[in-house]
């Protein structure tokens, strides 16, 4: 019987990546509250505007009064196609969902994934050398 | 299978189907009551706060959220006692969710509170999508309804449906933004 289990490695990777991302929703009451969310370039956000438009975007820039980015692959009920430039003024945002990719969590999960993978490889070598 | 078991299975199935209609396209937040600071903002800011809360409410409704009467809630709790036990025994614990009731109720209450603050502050009334009713008149109707819901009459289905009907018509929506 082989000691390795690709499923276990995949599961570890999935768990690691899941731990590295966190999704939260916010209802910023004003521009200051939107700024306080500490959204930066590279974050993926989904917003619903007070015009009842749903937009998913990857942030490229945060200006004084708006988010600038490109649209993500549209989810259900989002109408804009992927890859379009888009600007969303803070004052139009009613609901904002953000997926942060935490650097510390990403580092920790990478270490965990490498450890699991190394354990599997060592296990396989041990099985191959066994008489 | 006995009659009682069959009735329960049908009941649980119906509840489960009802809850299945609710699916969050984005995470639905539970909106708080207005803070003291919010009650002191300018009239245009109050209108924007109402529009934001109304949009959150619209998202929840658009995702299938609905209010639960006291009877429906009691039925769900009862069903969950058995569903949790049965699914735990099967190794896949599960239960019936509230179908968006919690978040929808919270945002409804917030909007009503904001409308009442707006009326107290004597800000300019805005028309609603319901003919002959501006948001002052709607605030009065909602206040009376809410007093009954929170009073002896409780969360009866007809009153929740009336609150939903009124709040569904709160805003006259501008035409959709042009696509770039």
């Amino acid at each position: 019987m082989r000691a390795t289990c690709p499923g276990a490695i995949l599961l570890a990777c999935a768990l690691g990546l899941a731990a590295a991302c966190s999704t939260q929703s916010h209802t910023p009451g004003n521009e200051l509250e939107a700024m306080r969310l500490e959204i930066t370039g590279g974050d993926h956000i989904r917003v619903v505007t007070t015009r009842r438009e749903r937009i998913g975007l990857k942030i490229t820039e945060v200006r004084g009064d708006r988010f600038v980015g490109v649209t993500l692959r549209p989810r259900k009920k989002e109408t804009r196609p992927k890859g379009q430039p888009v600007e969303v003024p803070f004052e139009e945002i009613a609901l904002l969902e953000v997926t942060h990719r935490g650097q510390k969590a990403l580092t920790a999960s990478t270490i965990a994934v490498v450890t699991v993978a190394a354990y599997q490889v060592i296990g396989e070598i041990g099985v191959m050398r066994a008489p | 299978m006995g009659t009682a078991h069959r009735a329960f299975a049908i009941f649980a199935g119906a509840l489960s189907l009802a809850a299945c209609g609710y699916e969050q396209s984005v995470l639905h937040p539970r909106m708080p009551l207005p803070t003291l600071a919010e009650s002191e903002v300018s009239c245009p800011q109050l209108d924007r706060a109402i529009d934001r809360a109304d949009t959150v409410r619209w998202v929840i409704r658009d995702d299938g959220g609905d209010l639960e009467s006291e009877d429906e809630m009691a039925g769900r709790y009862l069903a969950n006692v058995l569903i949790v036990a049965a699914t735990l025994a099967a190794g896949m614990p599960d239960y019936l969710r509230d179908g968006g009731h919690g978040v929808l109720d919270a945002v409804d209450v917030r909007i009503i509170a904001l409308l009442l603050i707006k009326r107290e502050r004597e800000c300019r009334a805005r028309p609603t999508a319901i003919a002959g009713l501006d948001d002052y008149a709607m605030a009065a109707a909602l206040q009376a309804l809410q007093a009954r819901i929170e009073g002896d009459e409780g969360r009866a289905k007809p009153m929740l449906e009336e609150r939903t009907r009124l709040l569904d018509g709160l805003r006259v929506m501008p035409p959709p933004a042009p696509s770039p």
Side-chain angles (χ1 to χ4, degrees):
Chain A
M1 187 178 147
R2 290 170 68 86
T4 54
C5 176
I9 295 175
L10 286 175
L11 180 64
C13 289
L15 287 174
L17 290 173
C21 299
S22 66
T23 302
Q24 291 177 312
S25 67
H26 304 274
T27 53
N30 53 47
E31 297 183 5
L32 268 179
E33 286 181 23
M35 291 292 286
R36 270 193 224 123
L37 296 175
E38 295 183 354
I39 290 167
T40 56
D43 281 338
H44 289 196
I45 65 171
R46 305 260 167 196
V47 297
V48 184
T49 70
T50 50
R51 294 164 177 258
R52 295 183 177 174
E53 188 184 11
R54 299 165 183 264
I55 308 169
L57 66 152
K58 181 180 179 181
I59 302 291
T60 54
E61 186 186 351
V62 182
R63 292 193 192 145
D65 66 340
R66 64 192 56 219
F67 292 122
V68 182
V70 288
T71 50
L72 296 168
R73 189 161 61 87
R75 269 194 204 163
K76 192 177 167 188
K77 299 179 180 176
E78 290 175 354
T79 53
R80 298 199 189 205
K82 183 183 175 185
Q84 283 191 342
V86 62
E87 294 187 13
V88 185
F90 295 152
E91 71 167 22
E92 285 185 14
I93 295 173
L95 178 58
L96 186 155
E97 183 190 84
V98 60
T99 305
H100 286 294
R101 285 169 169 74
Q103 200 55 50
K104 286 179 183 171
L106 188 62
T107 307
S109 63
T110 304
I111 291 169
V113 168
V114 169
T115 307
V116 171
Y119 178 79
Q120 294 291 336
V121 170
I122 290 167
E124 184 173 1
I125 291 169
V127 168
M128 285 168 71
R129 285 189 176 174
Chain B
M1 195 158 89
T3 312
H5 284 97
R6 190 169 296 141
F8 171 73
I10 293 168
F11 176 63
L15 275 173
S16 184
L17 278 176
C20 281
Y22 173 63
E23 188 183 356
Q24 297 186 37
S25 58
V26 290
L27 287 175
H28 295 166
R30 185 181 289 266
M31 294 199 84
L33 281 169
T35 59
L36 186 63
E38 280 181 297
S39 65
E40 291 168 354
V41 298
S42 68
C43 289
Q45 284 174 316
L46 255 181
D47 277 335
R48 276 202 288 277
I50 290 168
D51 291 350
R52 287 193 176 105
D54 176 74
T55 304
V56 172
R57 184 182 180 279
W58 170 79
V59 171
I60 297 166
R61 295 276 294 143
D62 194 45
D63 287 348
D66 208 353
L67 295 172
E68 233 179 11
S69 69
E70 271 176 4
D71 291 344
E72 288 167 332
M73 193 176 285
R76 181 166 57 82
Y77 285 167
L78 178 64
N80 270 339
V81 170
L82 301 175
I83 288 170
V84 169
T87 54
L88 262 177
M92 295 170 66
D94 202 359
Y95 64 96
L96 291 175
R97 276 78 175 171
D98 73 352
H101 167 84
V103 284
L104 184 58
D105 188 53
V107 75
D108 277 8
V109 171
R110 175 177 168 83
I111 293 171
I112 294 169
L114 286 169
L115 286 171
L116 293 175
I117 292 169
K118 179 180 170 178
R119 195 181 59 174
E120 274 176 26
R121 299 273 307 279
E122 299 180 349
C123 300
R124 190 171 59 85
R126 291 192 298 182
T128 69
I130 299 175
L133 205 68
D134 63 15
D135 58 2
Y136 272 25
M138 185 177 284
L142 286 166
Q143 187 180 26
L145 198 56
Q146 196 60 16
R148 291 172 62 192
I149 289 171
E150 289 169 5
D152 291 341
E153 294 181 63
R155 309 181 60 82
K157 194 72 179 169
M159 285 193 288
L160 296 180
E161 284 173 352
E162 176 61 4
R163 191 174 92 182
T164 298
R165 185 189 74 82
L166 287 168
L167 286 171
D168 280 351
L170 174 62
R171 282 175 73 199
V172 180
M173 285 307 300
S179 293

